[in-house]
Amino acid sequence: MLSTKEYKIMSFNIQSCRDYVTRAFTPLTAARAINELKPDIVGLNEVRGLPFLETTDPSWFDQIKELSKLTNLPYCYFGVAINLKGPYGNAILSKFPLKNVKTIPIPDPIVKDEDAYYESRCIISCDIEELHIFVTHLGLAKSEQRNGINLLKELIKKTEGPTILMGDFNMTPDNSLIQEIKELLFDTVSVFKKPLLSFPSINPRIKIDYIFTSRDIKVIEANIPEIIASDHFPYYTIIKINK
């Protein structure tokens, strides 16, 4: 007999825990948004850690540790993409233990000749329950985006079993690079009841946040609720695994 298990997956660019309304750096606003949606697994972008040197900058603190406490999601991992005043990158929060977790750097472009902000990026890869999870935040320059998509395609093709890819891709759905991912994975936007935007969270203009699933996963629901916490709306999907 088949048994079924459901998971609520959430992707959220937290803008380094900056409250988009008050502009204060605090874990409370992002935590409230997460708690409102009650996810099982959360992929986070723009996460900061403890500063390397003493500073009065309030944006540098152990953000993933604070969010883990405030959301009662005890298992967490911080994947560092770049070191600024402190470590900066992506993270995962989970109800369930993380296995085989690692940070995979996205190669920087050899030539940086575009009129765009360049920043080293990364992918978190881990196993949670029967799921394989990828969390990423792709760059603004076209060359950065191409490098990220090429690496993601390689990883997806090597991964067996139920797979989730989520994050801020900095690309709109009409971008040809997004189409390359959609050739490999299911875009959960397909189950939206109406077209939804994700950025910015006040007067949103575009959709640049995504959750993709492998085709052996049943997507029951997906939504971008209009919760104003960071500059991005959170994005969630409810999935079912047959086993």
Side-chain angles (χ1 to χ4, degrees), residues 39-87:
D40 300 304
I41 300 166
V42 187
L44 300 173
N45 304 129
E46 295 192 17
V47 181
R48 298 188 181 192
L50 290 168
F52 297 127
L53 301 173
E54 186 175 342
T55 177
T56 58
D57 186 336
S59 68
W60 295 98
F61 59 94
D62 196 341
Q63 296 184 350
I64 192 62
K65 182 178 179 180
E66 292 298 318
L67 289 172
S68 178
K69 290 178 182 176
L70 291 167
T71 60
N72 293 313
L73 294 170
Y75 301 99
C76 58
Y77 176 79
F78 180 26
V80 178
I82 190 170
N83 290 313
L84 301 170
K85 290 183 180 179

Side-chain angles (χ1 to χ4, degrees), residues 226-238:
E226 294 185 354
I227 298 173
I228 299 174
S230 82
D231 58 343
H232 290 243
F233 287 141
Y235 183 164
Y236 77 84
T237 186
I238 298 173

